[in-house]
Amino acid sequence: MLNALKGHRTNSATLVLAVLAAAALMFISEATYWQASSALARLEAGVVIRSNLRDVELGLTEAQSGMRSHLLTWQDDDLEPYFRGVRKANAALAELDRRYADDPPQKAKLGQMRAAAQAILDVQAATILLHDGGDREGARRQALDRAGEQDMDTVRRLGAGLSVIEDQVRARDRADLAAILGLSRIAMAALAAVGLVALFLFLRHSTVREIHRLALAQQALALNQSLDGEVKLRTAQLTELTQHLQTAREDERHRLARNLHDELGALLTSAKLDAARIRARLGSTAPEAQERLAHLVQTLDASIALGRSIIDDLRPSTLANLGLVAAVEILAREHAALTGVQVHCDLAPVKLRPSAELTVYRLVQEAITNVGKYASAGQVWIDLQPDAGQVRVCVRDDGVGFDMAAPAHTAYGLVGMRYRVEAEGGVLTVTSVPGQGTQVQAVLPETS
Amino acid sequence: MQRLQTYIIEDSPMIRDNLIATLEELTPVQVAGTSDGESAALVALGPHGPDIDLVIIDIFLREGTGLGVLRQLAEQHHRAKRIVLSNYTTPDMRLRCLELGADRVFDKSHEIDALISYCGQLSTDASAMLAVSPS
């Protein structure tokens, strides 16, 4: 139980860890993305600024070159480069304006640059105007004036300064990007480690659970098997006991009969013999004594008769000594003599265990008794035949029969008989049709 | 009176002893031998045994049956008289014994007196026969 609880806590801890790890991963990933994106954007911007700074210089130089060519050649064609240059420089300055909109230091420098550039352009424009206006000399003078070079230097200086600043910014961005990527790398590694640990914990936990489950299953199986074994044992014991009880009664009866016959019978006979001798001795003397003796003999006779009937009920001596066929025949003849009913026997020797023989004997006895008591029959047929590994015994009468559906028929003493027949592995069947007689039939297995 | 040489086949010692005493006291019976089983009896009653005038046979023996003895004696045409003395004397059994050659059947409990009379009678008859026939 405690193990289960511990497992539960470990499970939720692991779950929380997993959620936190996922959140951290998301966070780091997003942060990296945004930082890297903006760094790249700035890098791009840096490149553009540098390009534009260069373009300012180039534009001014181009314009100057164009102007000088024009002065030399007096051709309008040469003004093309001049105009191009002017456009380039202005465009670059405009772009730089935009780019430096949020950077006050750069903006200041740019302002100075612009001023210088503008000055140069103004001079150039003026020079051209002079030339085109006819004042070639004036134009030439203006063109050779070194003052413009100062401005050009200013432009170059400022451009270089701004470039350096850009370089610095770029270097910082690169460093930032490297830092964020490095952090991301570490975080991912850490996350991977945490993930592995979590996985390990989880696997171990589920292995533990699996082992526990298997152990429980084995316990249950073992318990089941032992219970099964217990049940089998008990069933076997019960069956043995039942069989024992079934035979115990007959065995007991057998024993009693034996004792009665052997011991008691001998004693009583002996007593009768003694009585005979005493009577002979007494002769005609002592009539009272003779009377007593006669009474004594009567008592002895009664005892003998009682003993006999008990013995015979307990252990049919005919069965034990003459066999089943003879015993059944005797039953039949005695019943016929007693009741006047005609009894037809068709008996063949059969192979049965002694207990089964006794059961058959008792069955016929019971069936015949019932015929005598209830059937008012004129004829009885008794069959005893072997039949393909089985023994069939049948007692049939032509008496009044009974209604099989009526519950009273179980009172005909055949319930116990059915049990005894079944205990011998046989089947008892009673059939009857009112007015047409009754048949009691048992089928038992032959012994080998 | 001539004594009747008698052989008794009975498996209960108590009955046997008491029977011998009673018969020897009240009748001319002289018990020449006893046995409690069929085979021993048949040996004793065979050609090499003593001269026996009367055989008293119980039906249910320790070994074999009295019926077997009766059958054998009949086959041998033994000259002795055969009496069945048994506890089991249903009409059917009586008939069987008589069919097998028994001269009389007596019930051990009810017909002791009859047995005694019959033995006495046998002896008288024997004496009479001896007296009549020339030696």
Side-chain angles (χ1 to χ4, degrees):
Chain A
M1 184 64 177
L2 205 59
N3 266 338
L5 275 179
K6 243 196 342 194
H8 184 66
R9 256 185 275 139
T10 313
N11 225 10
S12 24
T14 313
L15 193 65
V16 167
L17 260 176
V19 167
L20 281 179
L25 180 65
M26 279 296 301
F27 175 74
I28 289 170
S29 171
E30 284 301 299
T32 310
Y33 172 75
W34 286 117
Q35 195 119 2
S37 292
S38 67
L40 281 171
R42 276 204 301 283
L43 278 171
E44 205 188 289
V47 167
V48 168
I49 287 172
R50 278 205 110 196
S51 161
N52 278 301
L53 285 171
R54 214 176 28 249
D55 277 351
V56 169
E57 272 179 61
L58 272 174
L60 289 172
T61 311
E62 242 182 85
Q64 190 170 48
S65 173
M67 180 196 74
R68 284 192 181 160
S69 294
H70 182 65
L71 287 175
L72 272 174
T73 62
W74 295 33
Q75 295 278 14
D76 279 335
D77 286 348
D78 291 322
L79 278 179
E80 251 323 298
Y82 165 75
F83 284 122
R84 237 191 357 256
V86 170
R87 272 202 300 276
K88 187 181 277 190
N90 278 328
L93 283 166
E95 184 63 35
L96 286 167
D97 242 345
R98 255 210 315 283
R99 296 282 166 159
Y100 284 136
D102 301 314
D103 300 318
Q106 280 96 307
K107 208 168 164 178
K109 277 207 166 70
L110 183 67
Q112 290 174 335
M113 196 173 168
R114 178 181 275 277
Q118 195 61 47
I120 294 170
L121 286 172
D122 288 343
V123 166
Q124 283 172 356
T127 309
I128 291 171
L129 274 173
L130 277 178
H131 177 268
D132 287 351
D135 185 0
R136 307 244 156 79
E137 198 46 46
R140 215 177 114 245
R141 250 205 320 278
Q142 192 117 336
L144 291 167
D145 189 357
R146 297 272 171 215
E149 281 197 24
Q150 221 178 357
D151 283 323
M152 201 64 191
D153 277 339
T154 307
V155 167
R156 281 201 197 97
R157 191 173 38 82
L158 287 165
L162 286 168
S163 270
V164 163
I165 291 176
E166 275 311 303
D167 279 347
Q168 285 170 347
V169 170
R170 230 184 348 154
R172 209 173 46 239
D173 280 344
R174 261 211 303 274
D176 280 349
L177 186 61
I180 195 83
L181 286 174
L183 188 67
S184 169
R185 181 167 155 234
I186 290 170
M188 295 296 272
L191 216 57
V194 166
L196 277 172
V197 167
L199 184 67
F200 170 75
L201 282 176
F202 176 74
L203 282 176
R204 195 183 68 161
H205 176 71
S206 66
T207 308
V208 163
R209 266 222 301 216
E210 186 66 20
I211 289 171
H212 192 63
R213 192 187 67 80
L214 276 173
L216 276 177
Q218 259 181 348
Q219 253 181 11
L221 188 67
L223 187 66
N224 216 14
Q225 277 175 341
S226 91
L227 279 176
D228 221 6
E230 190 77 21
V231 166
K232 279 203 181 79
L233 184 66
R234 294 273 175 242
T235 309
Q237 281 178 346
L238 211 61
T239 309
E240 217 180 284
L241 183 65
T242 311
Q243 281 171 348
H244 173 74
L245 285 173
Q246 284 167 14
T247 56
R249 202 167 67 136
E250 283 299 332
D251 291 347
E252 181 73 8
R253 289 177 143 197
H254 199 87
R255 207 174 52 79
L256 279 172
R258 203 161 187 81
N259 281 346
L260 267 178
H261 180 269
D262 294 349
E263 317 267 345
L264 190 60
L267 284 167
L268 290 172
T269 305
S270 201
K272 286 289 292 252
L273 285 166
D274 279 339
R277 288 163 79 183
I278 295 173
R279 194 162 359 101
R281 286 280 167 84
L282 283 177
S284 45
T285 63
E288 308 89 34
Q290 283 205 9
E291 220 179 286
R292 279 302 101 223
L293 186 61
H295 192 251
L296 177 66
V297 167
Q298 274 179 349
T299 309
L300 280 174
D301 283 339
S303 312
I304 289 166
L306 180 64
R308 284 235 176 121
S309 73
I310 292 174
I311 288 167
D312 213 53
D313 188 55
L314 293 177
R315 184 193 76 158
S317 46
T318 47
L319 182 61
N321 295 286
L322 304 171
L324 182 59
V325 169
V328 170
E329 255 177 7
I330 290 168
L331 269 180
R333 272 188 267 182
E334 281 175 350
H335 183 82
L338 192 68
T339 61
V341 166
Q342 255 195 311
V343 181
H344 310 275
C345 288
D346 183 7
L347 314 172
V350 290
K351 288 202 290 262
L352 285 173
R353 278 202 307 274
S355 57
E357 277 191 347
L358 183 61
T359 301
V360 168
Y361 180 87
R362 293 281 184 220
L363 174 67
V364 173
Q365 200 178 37
E366 186 76 27
I368 289 176
T369 309
N370 282 348
V371 167
K373 274 200 262 186
Y374 308 115
S376 312
Q379 304 194 71
V380 176
W381 294 266
I382 306 179
D383 283 326
L384 178 68
Q385 305 292 333
D387 179 14
Q390 290 183 314
V391 171
R392 203 164 26 85
V393 57
C394 182
V395 178
R396 190 163 54 87
D397 70 78
D398 64 352
V400 298
F402 61 89
D403 181 7
M404 286 185 66
H409 89 273
T410 59
Y412 291 143
L414 287 172
V415 170
M417 203 48 53
R418 185 185 302 278
Y419 179 69
R420 286 178 70 163
V421 167
E422 283 176 4
E424 295 296 331
V427 177
L428 180 73
T429 330
V430 178
T431 35
S432 183
V433 178
Q436 291 181 29
T438 309
Q439 177 178 278
V440 175
Q441 179 176 273
V443 175
L444 298 109
E446 237 177 28
T447 62
S448 44
Chain B
M1 241 191 313
Q2 183 80 337
R3 293 207 74 84
L4 279 169
Q5 295 306 307
T6 307
Y7 194 85
I8 296 181
I9 311 172
E10 163 66 55
D11 67 346
S12 161
M14 190 190 306
I15 294 178
R16 184 190 61 213
D17 294 342
N18 212 326
L19 187 64
I20 293 171
T22 308
L23 287 177
E24 289 191 340
E25 187 184 313
L26 303 178
T27 71
V29 159
Q30 172 86 46
V31 176
T34 70
S35 106
D36 62 1
E38 182 180 332
S39 325
L42 289 173
V43 165
L45 294 168
H48 305 288
D51 247 356
I52 297 292
D53 304 313
L54 171 65
V55 184
I56 300 179
I57 311 166
D58 185 10
I59 293 180
F60 297 136
L61 302 170
R62 186 187 56 78
E63 171 263 319
T65 67
L67 301 177
V69 174
L70 278 174
R71 210 175 283 123
Q72 190 65 20
L73 290 178
E75 263 175 46
Q76 279 175 247
H77 302 289
H78 202 284
R79 67 173 194 83
K81 286 279 185 227
R82 299 156 219 164
I83 292 178
V84 171
L85 180 67
S86 175
N87 259 324
Y88 193 81
T89 53
T90 59
D92 189 75
M93 185 58 76
R94 284 178 192 268
L95 196 60
R96 260 181 174 242
C97 295
L98 293 171
E99 279 171 1
L100 285 170
D103 290 295
R104 293 293 288 274
V105 178
F106 294 105
D107 185 288
K108 249 183 223 173
S109 309
H110 303 301
E111 295 174 320
I112 297 292
D113 299 323
L115 171 68
I116 292 167
S117 321
Y118 182 72
C119 292
Q121 187 74 24
L122 274 180
S123 181
T124 316
D125 288 345
S127 305
M129 279 178 67
L130 276 174
V132 167
S133 60
S135 43

